[in-house]
């Protein structure tokens, strides 16, 4: 089973200790290797210097024996106080001299070719008694006779010194790791304090305190970016909650009104007897309110499906003018009642790729909006044209209504939003038509724009990708 520390601070500290341990391990290994190499170099140079001294002390006796003028240990000034092991051979490998320190042990066999080709040939070997030595060989003439001098120092003191250094470093290493772990824990805690502060503040934010924001100390570092992201999320949540509250309030109001109307009509109808015709009027009024409720619920269901992304568009290619003519035919009855004229201008050959039903719904809602808010006897202009530069189809519907204030223009597409000043529920509907139109156009990859000014009418423009 894998054990994982709970807190990031602990994990960071463990990672810090692990990385520091690796670095210290590499450092100890490098220090060990460098120290070993340095001591080997010192030992080699000490043997070379001793070799030069020995060469001047060798001599042959009259009976042919090779002797050394004096025996001595390594130089007093040397860092490595070692005993010299020495052996002298003739070119054929016969032993001419071997000092007492060797105790009769040999420093190798017959001369090797490398010993003749290199000035001072160094090699490592293990004597018969188990002693590890560094041997330096050199051919040198003594009284006209060429001999091979082999001089060796034991490497055991060198090994002991390196091991002592390693032991010291290994004893210090745990203390260094403890200090590093403590420092890493403190540093990790200090680095994560802003995150903990953000977490504490975010925990206190509830649905009623969505206006709170996380303070941004340094917007350029990682915590500053996280704070900006959290603030953006809180801002979007606050906006979504406000829209949800408005939506809930508006839905409640819109549903309460027809229900209250039906209840009032029903209670009045039950208080006294009525004629057959009067009962028909009462039932007709109630059915009219039921029809409004049904239409509103259907529209809300469409919006809910649109928000959830469950609506699949059935795209086909068709001339947009056909949809305009169908929409004018539907809304034309309302326009005739108000003696309004719908004037259509445009290229009937312009086609779009869209879901005919949903696009027709958007155009009908815009036309219905224009007819409702335009005065009696006014003209509604519809223009269909192609923008050749940006390759989109432009459909503009302009009315001669009271217009929309600039301050309210950004909210006309909100659900259940209706302007004040005479736009009542009976005249303006539930306030869902423009919201449906906006969703339908945007679902087809287009956009809907509003150009309006108070007292000068309104113009809604639909822009869709051209085929």
């Amino acid at each position: 089973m894998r054990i994982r520390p709970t807190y990031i601070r602990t994990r960071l500290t463990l990672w810090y200790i692990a990385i520091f341990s690796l670095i210290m391990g590499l450092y100890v290994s490098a220090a060990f290797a460098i120290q070993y190499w340095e001591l080997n170099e010192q030992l080699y140079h000490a043997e070379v210097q001793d070799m030069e001294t020995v060469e001047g002390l060798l001599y042959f006796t009259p009976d042919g024996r090779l002797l050394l003028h004096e025996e001595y240990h390594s130089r007093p000034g040397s860092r490595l106080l070692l005993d010299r092991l020495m052996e002298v051979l003739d070119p054929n490998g016969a032993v001419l001299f071997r000092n007492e320190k060797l105790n009769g042990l040999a420093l190798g066999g017959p001369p090797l070719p490398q010993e003749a080709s290199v000035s001072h040939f160094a090699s490592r070997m293990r004597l018969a008694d188990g002693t590890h030595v560094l041997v330096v060989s050199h051919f040198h003439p003594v009284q006209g006779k060429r001999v091979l001098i082999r001089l060796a120092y034991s490497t055991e003191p060198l090994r002991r010194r390196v091991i002592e250094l390693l032991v010291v470093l290994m004893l210090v290493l745990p203390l260094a790791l403890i200090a590093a772990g403590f420092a890493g824990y403190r540093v990790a805690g200090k680095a994560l304090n802003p995150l903990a502060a953000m977490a504490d503040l975010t925990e206190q934010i509830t649905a009623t305190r969505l206006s709170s924001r996380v303070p941004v100390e340094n917007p350029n570092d990682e915590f500053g970016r996280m704070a900006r992201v959290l603030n953006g999320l809180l801002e979007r949540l606050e906006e979504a909650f406000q829209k949800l509250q408005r939506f809930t309030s508006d839905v409640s109001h819109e549903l309460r009104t027809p229900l209250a109307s039906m209840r009032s009509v029903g209670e009045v109808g039950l208080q006294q007897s009525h004629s057959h015709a009067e009962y028909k009027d009462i039932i007709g009024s109630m059915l009219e309110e039921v029809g409004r409720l049904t239409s509103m619920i259907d529209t809300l269901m469409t919006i809910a499906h649109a928000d959830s992304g469950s609506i699949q568009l059935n795209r086909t290619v068709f001339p947009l003018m056909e949809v305009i003519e169908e929409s004018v035919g539907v809304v034309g009855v309302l326009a005739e009642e108000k003696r309004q004229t719908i004037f259509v201008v445009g290229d009937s050959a312009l086609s779009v790729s869209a879901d005919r039903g949903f696009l027709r719904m958007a155009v009908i809602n815009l036309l219905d909006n224009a007819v409702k808010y335009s005065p009696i006897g006014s003209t509604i202009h519809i223009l269909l044209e192609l923008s050749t530069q940006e390759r989109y189809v432009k459909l503009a519907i302009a009315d001669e209504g009271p217009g929309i204030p600039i301050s309210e223009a950004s909210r006309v597409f909100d659900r259940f939003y209706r302007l004040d000043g005479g736009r009542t529920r009976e005249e303006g509907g539930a306030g869902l038509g423009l919201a449906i139109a906006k969703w339908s156009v945007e679902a087809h990859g287009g956009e809907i724009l509003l150009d309006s000014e108070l007292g000068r009418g309104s113009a809604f423009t639909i822009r869709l990708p051209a085929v």
Side-chain angles (χ1 to χ4, degrees):
M1 186 176 74
R2 183 180 179 183
I3 300 177
R4 183 183 178 87
T6 304
Y7 298 102
I8 295 179
R9 185 176 185 179
T10 305
R11 293 202 294 268
L12 287 176
T13 303
L14 293 177
W15 272 106
Y16 183 76
I17 293 175
I19 294 173
F20 187 76
S21 302
L22 179 61
I23 295 174
M24 287 298 297
L26 294 175
Y27 169 76
V28 170
S29 301
F32 178 83
I34 292 173
Q35 181 71 7
Y36 188 75
W37 175 83
E38 184 184 37
L39 292 177
N40 270 283
E41 288 295 307
Q42 290 182 11
L43 187 62
Y44 171 76
H45 290 295
E47 291 191 30
V48 171
Q49 292 178 6
D50 204 12
M51 177 77 72
E52 294 173 354
T53 302
V54 167
E55 290 172 354
L57 299 177
L58 289 173
Y59 67 96
F60 282 99
T61 61
D63 57 358
R65 288 184 303 146
L66 182 65
L67 298 176
L68 191 64
H69 277 296
E70 61 177 295
E71 290 279 349
Y72 66 96
H73 296 290
S74 58
R75 293 198 229 173
S78 175
R79 288 181 59 189
L80 298 170
L81 300 178
L82 304 170
D83 290 331
R84 180 202 309 140
L85 305 176
M86 180 177 172
E87 183 181 71
V88 182
L89 307 176
D90 64 10
N92 296 323
V95 178
L96 300 177
F97 178 80
R98 185 176 287 157
N99 68 349
E100 296 179 358
K101 299 291 184 182
L102 279 172
N103 294 323
L105 302 176
L107 288 178
L112 301 174
Q114 297 91 330
E115 293 177 309
S117 60
V118 180
S119 175
H120 292 84
F121 176 73
S123 62
R124 296 179 180 277
M125 64 175 298
R126 184 177 182 181
L127 301 181
D129 61 356
T131 304
H132 293 272
V133 296
L134 175 64
V135 182
V136 175
S137 306
H138 176 63
F139 275 95
H140 180 74
V142 177
Q143 296 178 0
K145 296 182 180 180
R146 192 164 179 265
V147 296
L148 174 63
I149 303 174
R150 287 177 175 166
L151 194 144
Y153 283 168
S154 173
T155 59
E156 294 300 328
L158 179 148
R159 291 171 180 267
R160 285 196 300 270
R161 179 167 296 186
V162 173
I163 291 175
E164 289 173 0
L165 174 64
L166 181 62
V167 170
V168 171
L169 292 177
M170 294 304 295
L171 290 176
V172 175
L173 183 59
L175 299 178
L177 291 179
I178 293 174
F182 178 76
Y185 189 78
R186 295 293 300 273
V187 170
K190 189 174 182 62
L192 293 175
N193 281 339
L195 183 62
M198 282 190 283
D200 294 337
L201 181 60
T202 306
E203 284 182 342
Q204 300 173 7
I205 297 176
T206 60
T208 58
R209 296 185 56 189
L210 288 175
S211 59
S212 302
R213 296 293 182 267
V214 178
V216 182
E217 296 182 1
N218 182 6
N220 298 320
D221 63 6
E222 289 80 0
F223 291 115
R225 181 175 179 271
M226 181 179 293
R228 286 188 283 110
V229 171
L230 283 176
N231 288 337
L233 175 61
L234 291 173
E235 184 176 353
R236 293 191 296 272
L237 286 175
E238 182 182 13
E239 182 180 357
F241 267 83
Q242 290 175 352
K243 288 183 177 180
L244 180 60
Q245 289 174 350
R246 285 199 306 268
F247 180 79
T248 305
S249 176
D250 292 337
V251 168
S252 300
H253 174 74
E254 294 296 334
L255 294 178
R256 186 185 299 114
T257 302
L259 289 174
S261 177
M262 285 189 292
R263 180 176 181 178
S264 176
V265 171
E267 289 178 347
V268 170
L270 291 175
Q271 287 177 358
Q272 54 186 338
S273 299
H274 297 277
S275 65
H276 180 73
E278 289 174 337
Y279 276 122
K280 287 182 65 176
D281 290 338
I282 293 173
I283 295 173
S285 298
M286 297 178 70
L287 289 177
E288 184 180 350
E289 296 298 334
V290 171
R292 288 185 181 181
L293 280 175
T294 303
S295 176
M296 184 189 306
I297 292 173
D298 290 341
T299 304
L300 289 175
M301 290 296 294
T302 302
I303 293 176
H305 287 310
D307 288 342
S308 64
S310 60
I311 293 181
Q312 300 295 327
L313 299 179
N314 184 20
R315 289 179 178 267
T316 57
V317 178
F318 55 88
L320 186 54
M321 184 60 75
E322 293 181 0
V323 172
I324 296 174
E325 292 173 350
E326 293 173 5
S327 302
V328 170
V330 173
V331 183
V333 177
L334 299 176
E336 289 177 0
E337 293 177 357
K338 300 180 69 174
R339 299 190 300 278
Q340 296 171 339
T341 302
I342 300 178
F343 191 65
V344 181
V345 177
D347 186 357
S348 59
L350 291 178
S351 298
V352 294
S353 175
D355 188 304
R356 192 184 187 100
F358 283 111
L359 190 58
R360 180 174 176 270
M361 181 190 301
V363 176
I364 289 177
N365 286 341
L366 292 178
L367 277 175
D368 180 70
N369 188 77
V371 169
K372 284 179 180 178
Y373 301 129
S374 294
I376 296 174
S378 61
T379 302
I380 298 171
H381 297 272
I382 300 177
L383 173 63
L384 178 62
E385 61 181 358
L386 175 67
S387 175
T388 56
Q389 293 181 350
E390 300 181 25
R391 295 297 301 170
Y392 61 81
V393 175
K394 174 183 175 183
L395 169 60
I397 301 176
D399 61 46
E400 297 176 357
I404 299 173
I406 298 177
S407 59
E408 304 289 337
S410 61
R411 297 187 58 192
V412 294
F413 294 104
D414 292 347
R415 300 162 190 175
F416 294 108
Y417 180 77
R418 286 192 300 269
L419 288 170
D420 295 333
R423 298 197 177 193
T424 62
R425 176 176 165 272
E426 287 74 15
E427 295 178 355
L432 296 173
L434 292 181
I436 286 288
K438 183 175 185 293
W439 167 82
S440 178
V441 172
E442 292 181 347
H444 289 90
E447 61 178 340
I448 184 168
L449 306 174
L450 170 62
D451 182 15
S452 180
E453 188 175 345
L454 194 62
R456 299 183 61 183
S458 303
F460 289 90
T461 301
I462 295 175
R463 299 201 301 183
L464 293 171
V467 176

